[in-house]
Amino acid sequence: MPSYLGREGNVFVMLAAYVAVTVVAAIACASAAVLSLTHHRSVVRTAERLRVPVSWQVPLGAVLAAGSLGLLVGFAVPVLGTAAAVGLVAYFLCAAGAHLRARDTRPLAWVNWTVFFSVALAALVVRLAHHGPW
């Protein structure tokens, strides 16, 4: 951080990063939730390839939607935002497990997972850096 910003500048930069990363993560997870809740063809094909019952799409989409909403509510209630970010990181780790279990070697699937996992993890990291654990 440049020294000319001083403490106030560092706080502003951290706040800006926290808000930006959280909003991006919330939008990404909300879009994934919509695709899952509407049984989008790409999500159905992925579920079939991974041998995940298609009937799980609505509950999994609801988890993504709750995580997305939780990230945004976390601006007002930080502990809920932390819980949502932890939940999303766990969700995407479980998704990686499903890909590994099905021996999914498609590079695009792993790029997609990496992007979503990284955004969720970044939301957790900036949240903890800005607010602390609670």
Side-chain angles (χ1 to χ4, degrees):
M1 212 45 56
S3 61
Y4 61 84
L5 287 177
R7 173 146 170 69
E8 293 79 22
N10 290 341
V11 170
F12 175 75
V13 170
M14 187 64 232
L15 176 64
Y18 161 63
V19 170
V21 170
T22 301
V23 169
V24 167
I27 291 169
C29 291
S31 67
V34 167
L35 292 176
S36 189
L37 290 169
T38 59
H39 294 276
H40 190 272
R41 184 173 24 126
S42 66
V43 177
V44 171
R45 280 188 292 197
T46 300
E48 289 169 346
R49 189 176 61 255
L50 300 181
R51 298 184 305 276
V52 173
V54 176
S55 63
W56 288 15
Q57 281 186 338
V58 170
L60 292 174
V63 169
L64 285 168
S68 178
L69 183 61
L71 289 176
L72 298 176
V73 170
F75 287 127
V77 185
V79 70
L80 291 179
T82 302
V86 167
L88 288 169
V89 168
Y91 177 94
F92 289 113
L93 286 174
C94 291
H99 282 275
L100 291 170
R101 180 182 55 87
R103 292 185 165 86
D104 188 5
T105 58
R106 293 175 346 115
L108 185 58
W110 286 103
V111 168
N112 189 31
W113 176 84
T114 302
V115 168
F116 278 98
F117 176 73
S118 298
V119 168
L121 185 61
L124 177 60
V125 168
V126 297
R127 175 169 297 284
L128 292 176
H130 183 68
H131 285 295
W134 310 115

